[in-house]
């Protein structure tokens, strides 16, 4: 009967999360030729078995027609409902013993009747299970052969010779049933092996486990036959009642155990799903657990489930389709499956959210490249191995004209350019290279490079790729880049590698646009020195190491001071640490100059205001403060000046701000606006170091400056060189012609003073009159003196 049907249907096996079997199951249309021949042979042998049993019908126990009819009805009803029965997988609970049905028919039906009934039941079961025609042919043939062999074994064991239910009949039935069971198991095992599905074949352990309930069922069935053999209606009813009671008990027991098993399986499956860490594994784990719930190996991921399959959606047009196995409770199993699918959907949403968070944590949102965290992870992983035959090239890349593109075309075009640059870098980098965008237009590339020359060649290839035009929003944008290259040939730290590449990039940008610079020890040491300088400058601000010295500005004829210039000094314990000419340029580059400039302005206003009240209340001194072009160009500069004046109470007309010629060359219109705004506040603007930069008469005319300070370099040969005197005379005349007052700085000799007076320059500043001094010594420095040759030296005024 159904024992001839394999435990696993011959269907397509989907992609499982568990390891693939040694002999993967082929799809339904790919049955092996050996299996086809074996199925045909089974069908032929089955037909022969049926013919033999028809020719030799055999004897049966004398019993009533009612009992025989009842046995047939029980057989048909149980066969029809067999797929509605329940069985806990891997246990004996609820496993329907086939001997309960086969033993009565074997004893009371003719041989041909038993074989026909077994074949009919097997055929009906195959149709209910939707087996392929080839598998149906195989199962029906094996059912005929095994049932025919069972009748022969029953006859040889003496079952047909008895006229009443004796132990000989029970023994004969036991021999027949076991013979049929063993033959069916062996035939199914051979079929699975020939078809390449050995993993689905019955094993010795599983076969012995299933034979135990068969032995118990033979005893119960024999009792039923003994009652039916009495030949009375009551005996037949009692025999059928015995079978019914046993079948109902097994069914109820199986359903209860199956529900408990479903609950346990649902809990286990849910925990397994929640334990997944990759979203792509969840559908496979779900399919595996659904197949376990439905007690089948026949499942697949498809976009069109077949009729009669259980289908569960796992994505757009994607379903897990299963063919339910035997003895499955559809209602509870379907509810558990729905709950499991909901759990899987929740887990997938959570994992996708986590994956998105991980992606955002390691990726640049604009370009999709790695961010600094992704780069740091790669450096920490690969730098320790750099000295073991795996040298690396760390390239720091920066676009040269990106700010101008942003200002000209707008930030939207700038963002599109960054995306295009990232795409082009990706195209020209190897798959194993790590690309990251750290900030703005700064990119970092980590790649393999055996030699420094190879690293430079890679950088030049990237540079050439970036130099190709970028078509953006109906515009063609051309951009160049500077690249700093650090060849890592020995293990190092992330900080050292990045600082070396950044130092090389800084040197490349200083060398001009479109430059590739290899990091050297000199470059790295210089960068570290500047880094230490930045820290020291900030510490000096914090610890009050900056002080101000004041140098008088005088009327040369009388020697009387009318203003002082505030000069910044960096002293620690009375010792000069560094001259302003050395640290001010770096402060401008690092952005610290704005903070220092505001401190100098506030400090000068406080000190000079207090000094004026104490010493010159009737004729207060004006104070000049040198302002960096970087600082005065800040949008809040005028407001900062106004606030300092209000906080210190310093009269605006006494404050003078000195700027260099670069202030006007940045943006003349903007510079004029700033100068006018300062004039509205009451603050004067002086032009310092005139003639040392890109002098322009146009900006000198337009800028609202009060005084033009002539650089000391013009005074070197003024007392002995007639051409130098004529040059100074022309500048003085020019300044006077446009309403600007000339002021000579760096006057150190009496002859220089006399010549300048003759040329019409009456305001002067220099060591001839006074050196820069602290505020407490300013009284002596500004006192008029007839000896203008005081302490002439080689120093400068600032």
């Amino acid at each position: 009967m159904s024992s001839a049907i394999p435990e696993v249907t011959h269907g397509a096996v989907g992609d499982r999360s568990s390891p693939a079997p040694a002999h993967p199951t082929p799809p339904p249309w790919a049955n092996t030729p050996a299996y086809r021949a074996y199925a045909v042979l089974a069908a032929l042998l089955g037909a022969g078995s049926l013919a033999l049993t028809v020719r030799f019908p055999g004897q049966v126990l004398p019993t009533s027609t009612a009992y025989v009819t009842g046995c047939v009805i029980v057989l048909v009803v149980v066969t029809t409902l067999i797929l509605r029965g329940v069985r806990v997988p891997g246990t004996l609970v609820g496993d329907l013993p086939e001997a309960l049905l086969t033993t009565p028919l074997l004893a009371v039906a003719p041989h041909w009747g038993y074989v026909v009934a077994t074949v009919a039941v097997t055929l009906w079961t195959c149709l209910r299970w939707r087996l392929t025609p080839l598998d149906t042919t195989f199962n029906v043939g094996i059912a005929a052969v095994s049932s025919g062999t069972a009748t022969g074994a029953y006859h040889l064991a003496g079952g047909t010779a008895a006229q009443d239910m004796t132990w000989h009949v029970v023994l004969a039935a036991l021999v027949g049933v076991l013979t049929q069971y063993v033959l069916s198991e062996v035939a199914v095992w051979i079929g699975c092996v020939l078809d390449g599905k050995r993993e689905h074949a019955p094993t010795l352990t599983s076969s012995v486990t299933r034979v135990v309930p068969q032995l118990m069922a033979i005893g119960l069935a024999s009792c039923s036959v003994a009652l039916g053999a009495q030949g009375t209606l009551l005996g037949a009813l009692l025999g059928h009642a015995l079978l019914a009671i046993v079948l109902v008990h097994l069914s109820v027991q199986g359903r209860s155990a199956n529900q408990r098993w479903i609950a346990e399986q649902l809990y286990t499956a849910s925990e397994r799903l929640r334990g997944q860490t990759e979203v792509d594994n969840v559908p496979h784990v779900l399919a595996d657990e659904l197949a376990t719930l439905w007690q089948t190996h026949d499942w697949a991921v498809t976009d069109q489930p077949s009729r009669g399959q259980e289908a569960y959606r796992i994505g757009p047009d994607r379903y897990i389709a299963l063919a339910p196995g035997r003895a499955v409770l559809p209602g509870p199993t379907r509810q558990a499956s729905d709950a499991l699918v909901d759990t899987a959907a929740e887990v997938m949403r959570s994992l996708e959210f986590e994956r998105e968070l991980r992606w955002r944590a390691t990726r640049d949102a604009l370009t999709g490249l790695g961010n600094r965290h992704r780069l740091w992870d790669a450096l920490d992983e690969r730098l320790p191995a750099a000295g073991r035959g795996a040298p690396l090239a760390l390239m720091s890349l920066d676009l040269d004209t990106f700010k101008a593109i942003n200002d000209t075309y707008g930030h939207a075009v700038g963002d599109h350019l960054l995306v295009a640059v990232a795409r082009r870098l990706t195209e020209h980098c190897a798959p194993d290279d790590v690309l990251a965008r750290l900030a703005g237009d700064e990119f970092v590339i980590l790649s393999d490079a055996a030699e420094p020359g190879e690293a430079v060649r890679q950088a030049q290839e990237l540079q050439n790729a970036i130099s190709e035009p970028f078509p953006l929003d109906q515009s063609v944008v051309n951009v160049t880049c500077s690249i700093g290259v650090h060849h890592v040939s020995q293990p190092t730290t992330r900080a050292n590698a990045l600082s070396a590449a950044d130092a090389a990039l800084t040197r490349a940008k200083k060398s001009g646009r479109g430059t590739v610079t290899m990091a050297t020890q000199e470059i790295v040491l210089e960068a570290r020195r500047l880094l230490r300088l930045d820290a020291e400058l900030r510490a000096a601000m914090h610890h009050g190491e900056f002080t101000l010295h004041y140098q008088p500005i005088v009327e040369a004829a009388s020697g009387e001071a009318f203003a002082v210039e505030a000069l910044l000094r960096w002293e620690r314990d009375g010792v000069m640490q560094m001259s302003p000419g050395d640290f001010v340029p770096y402060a401008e580059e690092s952005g610290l100059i704005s903070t220092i400039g505001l401190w100098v302005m506030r400090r000068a206003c406080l000190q000079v205001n207090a000094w004026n009240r104490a010493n010159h209340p009737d004729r207060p001194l004006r104070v000049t403060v040198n302002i960096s072009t970087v600082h005065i160009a800040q949008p809040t500069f005028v407001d900062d000046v106004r606030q300092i004046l209000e906080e210190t109470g310093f009269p605006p007309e006494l404050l003078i701000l000195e700027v260099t010629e670069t202030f006007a060359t940045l943006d003349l219109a903007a510079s004029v606006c700033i100068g006018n705004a300062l004039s509205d506040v009451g603050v004067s603007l002086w032009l310092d170091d005139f003639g040392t930069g890109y002098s322009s008469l146009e900006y000198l005319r337009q800028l609202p400056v009060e005084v033009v300070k002539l650089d000391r370099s013009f005074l070197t040969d003024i007392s002995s060189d007639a051409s130098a005197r004529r040059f100074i005379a022309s500048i003085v005349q020019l300044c006077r012609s446009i309403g600007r007052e000339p002021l000579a700085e760096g006057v150190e000799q009496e002859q220089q003073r006399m010549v300048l007076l003759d040329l019409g320059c009456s305001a002067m500043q220099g060591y001839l009159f006074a050196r820069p001094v602290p505020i407490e010594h300013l009284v002596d420095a500004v006192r008029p003196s007839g000896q203008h040759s005081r302490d002439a030296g080689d120093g400068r005024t600032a």
Side-chain angles (χ1 to χ4, degrees):
M1 200 187 124
S2 62
S3 60
I5 300 174
E7 281 291 313
V8 181
T9 60
H10 297 282
V13 177
D15 183 17
R16 307 293 293 271
S17 60
S18 57
H23 303 282
T25 304
W29 58 85
N31 297 113
T32 63
Y35 176 70
R36 293 193 185 99
Y38 184 62
V40 172
L41 178 62
L44 294 176
L45 292 176
S49 299
L50 181 60
L52 289 175
T53 53
V54 170
R55 184 172 180 83
F56 303 103
Q59 298 179 356
V60 297
L61 287 176
T63 184
S64 64
T65 304
Y67 183 74
V68 176
T69 303
C71 288
V72 174
I73 292 174
V74 169
L75 184 64
V76 172
V77 170
V78 172
T79 303
T80 303
L81 298 179
I82 190 169
L83 292 182
R84 300 295 180 182
V86 290
R87 178 173 60 86
V88 180
T91 71
L92 301 178
V93 178
D95 198 354
L96 181 63
E98 297 166 355
L100 279 174
L101 306 176
T102 59
T103 301
L105 282 177
L106 189 62
V108 302
H111 290 349
W112 63 268
Y114 175 70
V115 174
V116 168
T118 302
V119 168
V121 169
T122 302
L123 178 61
W124 175 241
T125 304
C126 290
L127 295 177
R128 288 292 301 272
W129 288 348
R130 299 180 295 277
L131 299 188
T132 63
L134 186 63
D135 290 335
T136 300
T137 301
F138 167 74
N139 282 299
V140 169
I142 294 301
V145 172
S146 61
S147 59
T149 304
T151 58
Y154 179 75
H155 174 76
L156 294 176
T160 57
Q163 297 297 316
D164 197 1
M165 190 63 187
T166 63
W167 67 270
H168 295 287
V169 176
V170 176
L171 181 61
L174 177 63
V175 172
V177 170
L178 291 181
T179 300
Q180 179 179 355
Y181 179 77
V182 171
L183 183 60
S184 176
E185 291 288 290
V186 171
V188 170
W189 185 87
I190 295 174
C192 291
V193 171
L194 294 178
D195 201 18
K197 303 172 183 177
R198 188 165 184 170
E199 71 279 4
H200 299 319
T203 63
L204 180 61
T205 302
S206 64
S207 299
V208 172
T209 300
R210 287 195 298 272
V211 83
V212 174
Q214 304 292 340
L215 299 176
M216 299 175 60
I218 289 174
L220 292 172
S222 299
C223 294
S224 173
V225 172
L227 292 173
Q230 295 178 2
T232 62
L233 180 60
L234 178 61
L237 293 177
L238 291 177
H240 296 148
L242 177 61
L243 291 178
I245 291 172
V246 174
L247 290 173
V248 170
H249 171 72
L250 291 177
S251 178
V252 172
Q253 183 186 33
R255 290 180 70 88
S256 177
N258 192 259
Q259 289 176 346
R260 291 194 302 271
W261 177 82
I262 288 176
E264 294 172 358
Q265 185 63 29
L266 178 60
Y267 174 80
T268 303
S270 299
E271 290 299 309
R272 184 183 174 193
L273 284 172
R274 292 190 175 95
Q276 298 303 309
T277 57
E278 296 295 334
V279 65
D280 296 334
N281 293 339
V282 174
H284 303 291
V285 175
L286 174 63
D288 193 39
E289 297 300 335
L290 288 175
T292 302
L293 281 175
W294 287 99
Q295 303 176 27
T296 180
H297 293 277
D298 186 10
W299 65 270
V301 177
T302 179
D303 56 351
Q304 290 183 344
S306 303
R307 294 185 60 185
Q309 290 182 317
E310 293 291 330
Y312 298 93
R313 185 172 181 177
I314 59 173
D317 299 327
R318 292 187 68 204
Y319 299 86
I320 296 176
L322 308 98
R326 291 188 293 175
V328 174
L329 281 174
T333 304
R334 191 171 290 115
Q335 292 177 2
S337 299
D338 291 339
L340 198 59
V341 170
D342 292 340
T343 300
E346 178 185 350
V347 171
M348 289 184 68
R349 285 193 299 268
S350 176
L351 291 178
E352 287 174 352
F353 181 69
E354 291 179 5
R355 183 164 65 179
E356 177 69 15
L357 290 180
R358 287 196 301 269
W359 189 92
R360 292 186 179 183
T362 58
R363 295 288 176 176
D364 175 54
L366 177 63
T367 62
L369 299 180
N371 59 11
R372 64 179 64 250
H373 299 292
R374 171 75 178 92
L375 176 65
W376 289 348
D377 291 341
L379 291 174
D380 292 341
E381 178 183 355
R382 300 176 66 176
L383 286 178
R388 297 194 294 271
L392 302 172
L394 184 63
M395 293 174 277
S396 185
L397 182 150
D398 191 83
L399 302 182
D400 293 323
T401 56
F402 182 70
K403 184 179 185 303
I405 292 173
N406 259 346
D407 296 340
T408 304
Y409 297 98
H411 289 278
V413 174
D415 289 345
H416 292 164
L417 175 61
L418 291 175
V419 173
V421 168
R423 187 181 303 115
R424 193 167 292 182
L425 289 175
T426 303
E427 293 171 355
H428 287 79
C429 288
D432 294 336
D433 292 350
V434 177
L435 281 77
R437 174 177 174 247
L438 298 189
D441 59 337
E442 183 180 356
F443 299 85
V444 175
I445 303 96
L446 178 65
S447 64
D448 297 324
E451 300 293 338
E454 181 182 353
V456 173
R457 180 186 56 78
Q458 292 177 4
Q460 290 173 343
E461 290 178 354
L462 294 177
Q463 192 179 64
N464 293 335
I466 297 301
S467 63
E468 295 293 328
F470 289 91
L472 300 173
D473 292 347
Q474 301 179 351
S475 300
V476 177
V477 176
N478 291 281
V479 66
T480 59
C481 66
S482 299
I483 303 179
V485 182
H486 175 45
H487 185 256
V488 186
S489 57
Q490 58 185 0
T492 184
T493 63
R494 178 215 310 162
N496 288 339
L498 287 173
S499 63
D502 289 340
L505 175 62
T506 301
R507 180 65 64 88
K509 294 187 75 67
K510 289 182 178 179
S511 302
R513 297 176 180 176
T515 305
V516 174
T517 300
M518 174 68 72
T520 64
Q521 185 176 8
E522 176 189 357
I523 292 175
V524 173
L525 291 178
E526 176 65 15
R528 291 176 180 174
R529 187 188 71 82
L530 295 178
L531 185 62
R532 287 195 300 269
L533 177 58
D534 180 84
E536 291 176 358
L537 286 176
R538 296 181 186 277
M541 286 288 298
H542 180 70
H543 296 110
E545 295 177 358
F546 285 140
T547 60
L548 294 182
H549 285 200
Y550 298 91
Q551 185 176 33
I553 302 173
V554 303
E555 291 285 350
S558 62
E560 183 177 0
F562 66 91
V564 290
E565 180 178 3
L567 300 173
L568 181 63
R569 295 292 183 263
W570 180 8
E571 298 178 349
R572 182 181 301 160
D573 298 330
V575 179
M576 179 77 72
Q577 298 298 307
M578 189 180 297
S579 70
D582 292 331
F583 68 80
V584 167
Y586 178 74
E588 291 181 336
E589 182 179 341
S590 65
L592 191 60
I593 192 63
S594 298
T595 303
I596 296 177
L598 292 177
W599 181 88
V600 170
M601 191 185 309
R602 180 178 286 103
R603 185 74 169 175
C605 290
L606 287 172
Q607 288 186 339
V608 174
N609 198 27
W611 191 91
N612 282 334
R613 288 197 301 267
N615 299 280
H616 281 200
D618 52 340
R619 297 185 61 186
L621 290 176
R622 304 176 72 184
V623 62
T624 71
V625 177
N626 292 280
I627 298 297
S628 167
T629 301
V630 176
H631 186 194
I632 198 172
Q634 297 296 322
T636 61
F637 178 76
V638 177
D639 293 333
D640 292 339
V641 172
R642 185 184 293 109
Q643 182 178 357
I644 289 176
L645 292 173
E646 293 176 355
E647 292 176 355
T648 60
F650 193 74
E653 64 275 9
L654 298 182
L655 179 62
I656 303 168
L657 302 181
E658 294 189 20
V659 295
T660 61
E661 297 173 358
T662 55
F663 172 56
T665 59
L666 294 178
D667 187 339
L668 181 57
S671 300
V672 171
C673 290
I674 295 174
N676 293 331
L678 291 172
S679 297
D680 294 339
V681 175
V683 176
S684 298
L685 200 64
W686 286 11
L687 187 62
D688 193 15
D689 296 333
F690 178 75
T692 60
Y694 299 97
S695 303
S696 169
L697 300 180
E698 177 62 21
Y699 74 69
L700 182 59
R701 183 186 65 84
Q702 293 192 34
L703 277 179
V705 296
E706 176 184 323
V707 171
V708 176
K709 297 182 72 172
L710 308 183
D711 188 69
R712 69 189 304 270
S713 60
F714 295 155
L715 310 183
T716 304
D717 301 325
I718 192 173
S719 59
S720 59
D721 190 344
S723 61
R725 289 195 296 271
R726 288 194 296 269
F727 182 72
I728 291 294
S730 63
I731 296 179
V732 171
Q733 184 178 2
L734 171 65
C735 291
R736 292 279 170 74
S737 66
I738 59 175
R740 307 294 187 261
E741 185 68 25
L743 187 153
E745 58 179 345
V747 179
E748 300 173 354
Q749 300 172 4
E750 176 64 20
Q751 293 85 349
Q752 293 174 339
R753 184 186 73 86
M754 296 301 295
V755 172
L756 289 170
L757 280 175
D758 291 341
L759 296 177
C761 182
S762 58
M764 302 179 193
Q765 175 183 1
Y767 282 2
L768 178 64
F769 308 100
R771 289 178 177 272
V773 295
I775 189 69
E776 55 268 20
H777 299 152
L778 188 57
V779 173
D780 296 333
V782 300
R783 181 177 296 117
S785 174
Q787 298 176 354
H788 298 295
S789 59
R790 66 176 71 176
D791 300 330
D794 297 330
R796 298 194 57 180
T797 60

